[in-house]
Amino acid sequence: MVIIEDTRQKDGKHQQKHIGFGELGVDLLRCKLPFGDYALPPAVSVDTKENLEEIAKNLCGSKAERNRFIRECKAAEAAGCKLIIMVETEHDGSLLDLGDIRIGSGKVVTGLQLHRAMTAVAGRYGVRFVLVRPEDAAKEIVKLLEEGRTR
């Protein structure tokens, strides 16, 4: 289990609790909370990507970029949080129909490569990918968060 501890909790003042959490197999994640000192992570979280190029960089770009993205996926999974990656795009077909995506430094990712990378991450870490038109993004975020709250 992961518990969020507010960053305003003074370091060194709560060692007995920290030892107790460790004995119970609880990991602490320090993060500023809007209220309270301890909380459970959210049940669902939406991470937005501005476009297909951004998610292609995350999944198929540099090793450092991919590792950072995978660490976030693993952290959500460890916290029991359903992570949804929302990619804003005007593309309304299959990724397999997508042409080449340029992700910088002359590197090109095909729709097939991006599809395979998304499928692999979804299978390994339980991440869900959603493609949405930019004008529908706010409505879709609210819908996904409400669905996650009721599960």
Side-chain angles (χ1 to χ4, degrees):
M1 168 188 263
V2 176
I3 293 177
I4 300 171
E5 178 183 49
D6 188 73
T7 54
R8 292 168 292 192
Q9 285 285 77
K10 292 185 174 44
D11 281 336
K13 296 279 186 174
H14 303 279
Q15 293 298 39
Q16 187 172 359
K17 281 190 284 264
H18 290 187
I19 291 167
F21 289 143
E23 291 170 354
L24 294 169
V26 172
D27 291 321
L28 285 178
L29 172 69
R30 288 183 54 84
C31 180
K32 184 176 180 187
L33 293 170
F35 47 84
D37 295 324
Y38 297 95
L40 291 174
V44 64
S45 182
V46 178
D47 183 6
T48 58
K49 302 298 176 183
E50 182 179 9
N51 50 42
L52 290 165
E53 291 81 8
E54 184 178 359
I55 191 62
K57 282 180 190 176
N58 291 160
L59 293 171
C60 306
S62 71
K63 185 175 182 176
E65 179 66 24
R66 180 171 168 75
N67 288 343
R68 182 203 56 78
F69 183 81
I70 296 300
R71 277 193 307 274
E72 286 186 21
C73 295
K74 287 179 177 179
E77 181 183 44
C81 179
K82 178 70 174 172
L83 179 60
I84 301 169
I85 308 296
M86 176 184 288
V87 183
E88 296 180 34
T89 180
E90 295 295 336
H91 180 74
D92 59 359
S94 166
L95 289 177
L96 302 176
D97 300 332
L98 192 63
D100 292 344
I101 303 168
R102 299 199 182 284
I103 61 171
S105 304
K107 184 167 182 172
V108 173
V109 175
T110 67
L112 176 60
Q113 288 172 308
L114 182 57
H115 173 77
R116 286 180 175 164
M118 289 170 126
T119 301
V121 168
R124 284 188 194 119
Y125 308 108
V127 174
R128 180 175 164 202
F129 291 90
V130 176
L131 303 182
V132 63
R133 292 188 178 281
E135 61 269 19
D136 296 330
K139 180 174 68 174
E140 188 68 17
I141 290 168
V142 170
K143 179 182 141 201
L144 293 167
L145 292 174
E146 285 178 341
E147 285 173 3
R149 185 175 59 188
T150 60
R151 288 186 181 168

